[in-house]
Amino acid sequence: DADVTQTPRNRITKTGKRIMLECSQTKGHDRMYWYRQDPGLGLRLIYYSFDVKDINKGEISDGYSVSRQAQAKFSLSLESAIPNQTALYFCATSDPGTADYEQYFGPGTRLTVT
Amino acid sequence: SQQGEEDPQALSIQEGENATMNCSYKTSINNLQWYRQNSGRGLVHLILIRSNEREKHSGRLRVTLDTSKKSSSLLITASRAADTASYFCATQETSGSRLTFGEGTQLTVNP
């Protein structure tokens, strides 16, 4: 089974709708991240959480909110979706206890806002 | 804003050839990492090089880091069709801080 899972994998929604993307991990990592990927722009950080009580904005947090329900779960919400939020969204985790701070990525959620 | 800029944006080579991708960044770093992404999939960590290291190897991968020029290169030797993917560099400014990704190089290896 995958260590980092995301649901849904694909979603089409209409402008103005609220939508939640969910991320779960079985790696036991404290740190979790949400990124979006647009063609030609690489990955941009939306929000990150270093533990259950810690939530931080990334470089493009406007229009998004997050919830860290447990160590294993980190959800991303679009309160009122707009077409320019159409993108590929990735969740990732990392373990601060290791010497190497590599991140482990989920398979992604492809979101289309019409 | 993106920390890293990668060059070239796209690279097409024949199987068996070597592929070299470059990454430049703007601020001082603790480490630089390279990731691979197959089309539409999640990123997979390939290799990490620390700011006090100049070169690192892992299988067919060789990474160099020049902190004076704020640049890194990833060399894939004896490429295979299965190496076709996008490759991203990511920098970490301080130990444990968040990563900042470059825009990626799309590598195509033709059989």
Side-chain angles (χ1 to χ4, degrees):
Chain A
D1 288 341
D3 295 319
V4 183
T5 57
Q6 294 183 233
T7 56
R9 294 293 312 279
N10 289 281
R11 180 71 182 267
I12 300 173
T13 192
K14 294 184 183 299
T15 297
K17 293 291 188 182
R18 184 178 189 276
I19 184 169
M20 179 181 288
L21 309 183
E22 298 186 348
C23 176
S24 294
Q25 53 114 346
T26 59
K27 298 189 75 65
H29 290 171
D30 285 328
R31 298 185 175 187
M32 298 186 74
Y33 311 81
W34 275 106
Y35 295 91
R36 67 176 277 174
Q37 183 177 33
D38 299 276
L41 291 180
L43 275 74
R44 292 183 291 169
L45 184 63
I46 306 172
Y47 271 96
Y48 61 104
S49 169
F50 280 0
D51 64 43
V52 175
K53 298 180 181 179
D54 176 78
I55 300 290
N56 303 281
K57 292 183 178 180
E59 57 184 303
I60 54 163
S61 59
D62 287 350
Y64 301 95
S65 63
V66 291
S67 173
R68 184 82 184 266
Q69 301 95 324
Q71 185 201 41
K73 296 185 182 297
F74 192 35
S75 300
L76 176 71
S77 294
L78 286 67
E79 299 301 326
S80 179
I82 56 177
N84 76 1
Q85 291 177 314
T86 292
L88 192 53
Y89 289 84
F90 289 102
C91 173
T93 73
S94 68
D95 179 5
T98 61
D100 292 342
Y101 294 101
E102 66 177 279
Q103 293 188 8
Y104 298 84
F105 284 80
T109 294
R110 187 169 298 279
L111 176 66
T112 303
V113 184
T114 63
Chain B
S1 62
Q2 299 291 309
Q3 158 79 310
E5 294 184 1
E6 296 183 61
D7 169 56
Q9 289 187 325
L11 179 61
S12 182
I13 59 174
Q14 295 300 121
E15 212 165 23
E17 294 180 340
N18 296 340
T20 299
M21 289 159 270
N22 303 296
C23 170
S24 60
Y25 57 92
K26 299 174 184 174
T27 66
S28 61
I29 61 171
N30 174 272
N31 66 75
L32 185 145
Q33 304 178 29
W34 285 90
Y35 287 79
R36 164 191 168 132
Q37 182 184 33
N38 288 88
S39 181
R41 309 282 294 274
L43 278 71
V44 176
H45 182 263
L46 294 175
I47 193 166
L48 178 151
I49 187 164
R50 300 184 188 283
S51 60
N52 62 354
E53 297 176 313
R54 291 296 167 260
E55 187 170 313
K56 202 164 184 179
H57 295 253
S58 177
R60 292 185 295 114
L61 305 180
R62 182 173 79 100
V63 171
T64 61
L65 179 64
D66 186 335
T67 53
S68 66
K69 296 181 179 178
K70 292 186 169 58
S71 67
S72 174
S73 67
L74 171 68
L75 168 68
I76 303 174
T77 60
S79 64
R80 306 166 182 168
D83 293 329
T84 294
S86 292
Y87 292 82
F88 294 87
C89 67
T91 55
Q92 192 168 53
E93 293 183 17
T94 59
S95 179
S97 68
R98 62 195 200 190
L99 290 176
T100 304
F101 285 84
E103 297 175 0
T105 293
Q106 171 62 51
L107 173 66
T108 302
V109 182
N110 301 298

